[in-house]
Amino acid sequence: MIIDLERFTATEKPFWDELERLLKRVENDPACRLGVEGAARFHYLYQRASAGLARLDGLAAPLEFRRYLESLVARAYGEIHSTRDNAHRLVPRTWLLESFPQTFRRHIRQFQLAVLITIVGAIFGAAILMVAPEEKGMLLPFDHLHGSPTERVAKEEQEAGKRLAGHKATFSSSLMTHNTQVSIACMATGMTWGVGTIILLFYNGVILGAVVLDYLAAGQGIFLAGWLLPHGVIEIPAILIAGQAGLVLATTLIGKGSGLTLVARMRKVWADLTTLIGGVGLMLVWAGIVEAFFSQYHEPVLPYSVKIAFGVVELCLLVLFLGRSGRGGKVAKRG
Amino acid sequence: MAEQTTTLQIRTPEGIRFSLLLAGPTSRLLALLVDFSCITVATTTISTVLRLFALISQDIFMALTILSGFVISIGYGIGCEWYWQGQTVGKRLLHLRVMDEQGLKLQFSQVVIRNLLRIVDSLPALYLVGGIASLTSRKCQRLGDLAAGTIVIRTPKVQLPDLEQLGTEKFNSLAAYPHLVARLRQKVSREEGAIALRALIRREELDPAARLELFRELAALFRSQVAFPGEAVDGVSDERYVRNVVELLFEQRGRQS
């Protein structure tokens, strides 16, 4: 109970003020480096403030004193004990060529599960369309897919890519933003123990299966390949990787058999989730450009063989990239 | 439902405990509204500037508007919270800050995850999921916070109390009775002493009537615990009496002698 607050404050205040100044400096400039001496002084001031706080512990010092010292100690604690990622040190090339594919491979099981869910959805969609073709309008949310594939092919070949003339950039940016939103939703709904992610992947598969069956049944397989492959071989894997991220989140949330707390489990996957969704974003930018500026041109403007070959080459490169890139390099940092 | 707490206790490796004040859903909602306004203003401003591109191509203007709107809506929270270390414009105004739930600084991936998961928190509309989650979780966390291991704390401006308010340089008529002072120290509890000290430090903030009433009650309490002789207390106002008591309680014995 007996503490001479006036004397205590008079002695300690210069140190608290110095700590406050240092804190303001490091907080206002994240790139600030204190140097060895500065860091040692900072640590000393932190310890001194902590000791002051400990002195007040159990004593009848007024709340304001405690709050003031707690706020100083809390801020200094955060600065001293944190190792913050330095965004300025992010090397895009290393991140793209090493971190992203390594992270993808580290969670390959979740990717395989995402593929499986999509395939099941695709089979379901195809089956529904086969059994009840009149439900096409309900299955496919896009107006241009509701009509007959043969009529659409004839119409688009006749238009020779003029349909989007003057709107290609707008169309491309709409695709990028829409697909990125779907991907983010696919990852974020992993927080519902994976239920949301599974539903989105399944629904994506349903649409894909129904479209593929619709065009194959109408004998428009070549058009379909020429139309879908150039952008689809990037766009569909991107959505699958977003689903992979969602399933990683769900697996971590469930945490079966890990023996770790939720926070500890989550800490292990933060960096991986960010890397995966960042990679997905990049893939969707590319897919959006290809879809607007390449996929919409059909024969006679662009031979289907060229479009299919382009798509196959892209797919091979993507498989090579995700499967081989970054092997033997430094393993990307986790969590 | 987990029992909700208003403070989060952190124990440092040095064994020091400190607490962080958790932000409630109301202040967070207000900060969110401010942030929405900022996003709307930024999107509208950029769209107006981009209109210049319409002179070249309407298509490019539309594309850039769509892209900038998307980047701002997704990137605003991430950019602000990373650059301002857990704060957005709304959080700065409301004195809130996002922190790691272990009291550490935010990692970039934490900032990204908590912001991307807004999409789930905002379901089905008006942040219903996030609102329910933060009302029911122990640390007022929405789903994005739970995934990213973050909390939102209140950071009111805390100033060191002004001890000159105690007026300890003035004559203390009670100090002439050391045996009664010793009894006073024995009788007055730590909490009572702290309340009296706090009342003195904050007395200038009080309404005059409330100030009179508060010090009347405190003086009555201390008088009931130890009775000083009449010559020591005659003509001493309630506030002066409390000041004298607090000075005696919080001074070191050595200094008095």
Side-chain angles (χ1 to χ4, degrees):
Chain A
M1 161 107 201
I2 311 290
I3 179 169
D4 187 340
L5 274 176
E6 273 186 293
R7 192 185 294 179
F8 175 62
T9 311
T11 316
E12 297 300 321
K13 195 166 183 309
F15 296 100
W16 298 341
D17 288 343
E18 189 182 345
L19 180 59
E20 178 108 46
R21 282 195 300 275
L22 266 176
L23 278 169
K24 272 189 187 158
R25 205 175 123 199
V26 292
E27 283 171 355
N28 291 338
D29 178 14
C32 167
R33 293 285 173 271
L34 294 173
V36 178
E37 277 183 25
R41 180 73 183 161
F42 186 42
H43 192 247
Y44 168 75
L45 293 169
Y46 159 68
Q47 285 188 318
R48 193 160 181 133
S50 299
L53 185 59
R55 253 184 104 183
L56 290 182
D57 238 353
L59 295 170
L63 197 60
E64 284 81 357
F65 263 91
R66 213 188 147 74
R67 286 266 160 82
Y68 174 75
L69 270 181
E70 276 189 337
S71 122
L72 268 188
V73 171
R75 284 161 68 196
Y77 170 77
E79 290 294 336
I80 284 172
H81 290 276
S82 306
T83 46
R84 200 179 190 205
D85 296 341
N86 193 335
H88 306 294
R89 288 187 185 168
L90 178 78
V91 183
R93 189 174 168 275
T94 311
W95 176 83
L96 180 65
L97 298 181
E98 291 182 14
S99 303
F100 177 43
Q102 283 172 359
T103 309
F104 168 79
R105 291 194 293 270
R106 195 157 47 239
H107 300 287
I108 194 71
R109 282 188 174 195
Q110 281 86 349
F111 180 76
Q112 288 164 345
L113 183 58
V115 173
L116 185 69
I117 294 164
T118 307
I119 290 173
V120 172
I123 293 169
F124 182 79
I128 291 279
L129 196 70
M130 239 188 308
V131 176
E134 69 278 5
E135 298 298 337
K136 190 170 154 183
M138 191 199 73
L139 276 177
L140 306 174
F142 310 108
D143 290 344
H144 64 283
L145 297 174
H146 289 171
S148 151
T150 311
E151 283 172 17
R152 182 193 166 197
V153 171
K155 192 179 166 199
E156 293 209 2
E157 284 181 351
Q158 198 179 10
E159 283 174 347
K162 286 173 190 159
R163 185 170 57 94
L164 284 173
H167 303 287
K168 286 195 189 72
T170 309
F171 182 55
S172 175
S173 55
S174 301
L175 290 169
M176 285 175 205
T177 53
H178 173 261
N179 289 336
T180 308
Q181 275 168 338
V182 171
S183 302
I184 291 172
C186 216
M187 183 203 77
T189 48
M191 203 57 195
T192 57
W193 289 279
V195 175
T197 303
I198 291 169
I199 290 171
L200 283 173
L201 286 172
F202 184 82
Y203 180 58
N204 217 35
V206 168
I207 297 171
L208 198 63
V211 171
V212 169
L213 183 85
D214 195 27
Y215 278 71
L216 288 180
Q220 299 296 341
I222 301 287
F223 173 88
L224 179 74
W227 166 52
L228 271 189
L229 282 180
H231 65 274
V233 294
I234 303 295
E235 187 183 294
I236 295 166
I239 306 277
L240 290 171
I241 293 172
Q244 174 190 25
L247 294 174
V248 168
L249 186 58
T251 315
T252 312
L253 198 64
I254 296 163
K256 194 182 167 192
S258 72
L260 296 170
T261 62
L262 174 65
V263 179
R265 295 197 303 269
M266 284 294 182
R267 273 180 199 279
K268 289 190 161 201
V269 297
W270 290 336
D272 288 358
L273 293 175
T274 310
T275 302
L276 287 175
I277 206 70
V280 167
L282 273 187
M283 289 169 76
L284 290 174
V285 168
W286 173 252
I289 293 168
V290 172
E291 185 167 1
F293 293 94
F294 189 76
S295 295
Q296 304 303 324
Y297 289 100
H298 310 291
E299 280 185 349
V301 180
L302 260 178
Y304 291 127
S305 56
V306 172
K307 294 178 75 180
I308 292 167
F310 181 79
V312 170
V313 169
E314 272 185 309
L315 183 62
C316 292
L317 287 174
L318 181 69
V319 170
L320 206 62
F321 167 69
L322 292 173
R324 307 294 307 172
S325 187
R327 272 188 199 270
K330 203 174 84 180
V331 176
K333 196 180 85 176
R334 293 191 63 168
Chain B
M1 189 193 294
E3 195 184 335
Q4 219 163 29
T5 174
T6 52
T7 57
L8 180 70
Q9 295 282 336
I10 306 273
R11 191 184 164 91
T12 71
E14 295 86 358
I16 307 297
R17 282 174 197 274
F18 61 87
S19 52
L20 300 168
L21 303 170
L22 293 172
T26 314
S27 54
R28 291 181 68 173
L29 181 67
L30 289 173
L32 190 69
L33 291 175
V34 174
D35 289 334
F36 274 142
S37 312
C38 289
I39 290 171
T40 310
V41 169
T43 312
T44 314
T45 310
I46 289 179
S47 171
T48 311
V49 174
L50 288 175
R51 202 167 281 279
L52 288 172
F53 282 94
L55 299 171
I56 308 165
S57 160
Q58 185 69 20
D59 186 27
I60 290 174
F61 160 64
M62 283 302 294
L64 289 176
T65 304
I66 291 169
L67 284 177
S68 62
F70 180 71
V71 169
I72 290 168
S73 61
I74 295 282
Y76 169 83
I78 296 173
C80 286
E81 285 180 9
W82 175 244
Y83 187 74
W84 280 332
Q85 306 198 24
Q87 288 191 305
T88 56
V89 175
K91 289 191 179 77
R92 277 175 98 95
L93 284 176
L94 273 286
H95 298 290
L96 306 178
R97 186 185 287 277
V98 184
M99 283 196 77
D100 179 283
E101 65 181 325
Q102 292 182 349
L104 304 173
K105 286 166 76 175
L106 289 173
Q107 302 288 324
F108 182 67
S109 44
Q110 283 178 287
V111 174
V112 172
I113 288 166
R114 80 179 297 280
N115 277 289
L116 291 186
L117 260 69
R118 276 183 197 285
I119 208 163
V120 185
D121 281 307
S122 61
L123 290 173
L126 302 170
Y127 270 81
L128 195 66
V129 168
I132 291 171
S134 64
L135 280 171
T136 53
S137 75
R138 205 171 68 81
K139 299 174 195 164
C140 273
Q141 291 167 297
R142 60 176 177 84
L143 295 184
D145 287 319
L146 284 168
T150 52
I151 48 168
V152 181
I153 58 160
R154 285 189 282 136
T155 55
K157 278 194 176 170
V158 188
Q159 296 289 335
L160 193 62
D162 181 10
L163 289 178
E164 283 181 12
Q165 295 283 336
L166 295 176
T168 49
E169 73 288 349
K170 291 183 181 167
F171 173 71
N172 189 340
S173 58
L174 308 185
Y177 305 90
H179 64 292
L180 293 177
V181 170
R183 193 181 297 170
L184 187 78
R185 283 179 173 152
Q186 211 175 30
K187 292 253 182 180
V188 177
S189 70
R190 288 193 311 204
E191 290 72 25
E192 287 164 350
I195 289 169
L197 179 59
R198 201 172 176 203
L200 283 172
I201 289 168
R202 298 183 61 182
R203 66 203 164 105
E204 296 300 338
E205 300 167 26
L206 299 173
D207 176 70
R211 183 172 166 174
L212 276 174
E213 177 62 19
L214 175 67
F215 284 105
R216 191 189 60 74
E217 283 184 21
L218 284 169
L221 172 75
F222 294 138
R223 282 190 185 110
S224 71
Q225 286 169 326
V226 176
F228 281 85
E231 63 264 30
V233 293
D234 282 347
V236 176
S237 69
D238 289 337
E239 190 169 313
R240 183 67 243 176
Y241 186 83
V242 173
R243 261 201 271 179
N244 289 347
V245 169
V246 166
E247 184 187 355
L248 296 172
L249 290 174
F250 285 87
E251 269 197 331
Q252 280 180 337
R253 285 164 204 268
R255 195 180 164 199
Q256 267 206 320
S257 56

